Amino acid sequence: MDPLETPIKDGILYQQHVKFGKKCWRKVWALLYAGGPSGVARLESWEVRDGGLGAAGDRSAGPGRRGERRVIRLADCVSVLPADGESCPRDTGAFLLTTTERSHLLAAQHRQAWMGPICQLAFPGTGEASSGSTDAQSPKRGLVPMEENSIYSSWQEVGEFPVVVQRTEAATRCQLKGPALLVLGPDAIQLREAKGTQALYSWPYHFLRKFGS
């Protein structure tokens, strides 16, 4: 880390780990960096060492650290969503940060204070406070016109696709199973009930960064 680089936010987070099939939360000292000449936009963390804070008045040092530095590149971020159904440490709220490689379940005392800045760095110029929504009728702000991007220029040629949700950890967490309908709309992809019009989830196109992952 460049000593001249200053995090835009730092503090305590909790990160869930699975060891021998058992879930546990580890307290980490996290630092959120914006992209610039010194490095890419990222969320760095170290496991907090037992025994308290670092040198008095040295906020950049944070609590004692141990182990290796963990880095989440925000350019690889796919979504940042609340995880209200998760059991997390007392007086904290959980949120799920998903990248193209894996999902990171985090918890913070004031989770929106972390989710907001992370979304602003991961999805610049969208005008969104969050990277996704289960509300199909949420306000459409900062949308990029689809005709400006050749990737989406053919969305009107197709419409609805019957699909079957595979059994994965993500599907279980989202309480999804069985047949469903994937609908391509003008601004987003929707997953609907197989026999109905209710939207279960919605993914705005401007948050889809890579295909086939």
Side-chain angles (χ1 to χ4, degrees), residues 1 5-13 29-35 39-46 59-60 65 70-75 77 80 95 97 106 111-123:
M1 179 181 67
E5 196 174 11
T6 302
I8 66 171
K9 184 172 180 58
D10 61 288
I12 292 294
L13 285 178
W29 180 256
L31 302 105
L32 184 62
Y33 291 95
V40 299
R42 65 197 184 278
L43 179 65
E44 295 188 2
S45 65
W46 283 264
R59 182 171 175 78
S60 63
R65 301 166 180 166
R70 294 183 175 88
V71 179
I72 301 175
R73 285 170 43 93
L74 298 185
C77 187
V80 184
F95 62 97
L97 193 161
L106 305 166
R111 69 179 178 187
Q112 192 56 43
W114 283 94
M115 291 177 61
I118 290 174
C119 287
Q120 291 173 11
L121 295 176
F123 314 109

Side-chain angles (χ1 to χ4, degrees), residues 100 149 151-152 189 205 208-213:
T100 55
N149 193 325
I151 295 178
Y152 312 119
I189 296 176
Y205 290 129
L208 300 183
R209 294 171 174 264
K210 293 184 178 180
F211 297 87
S213 297

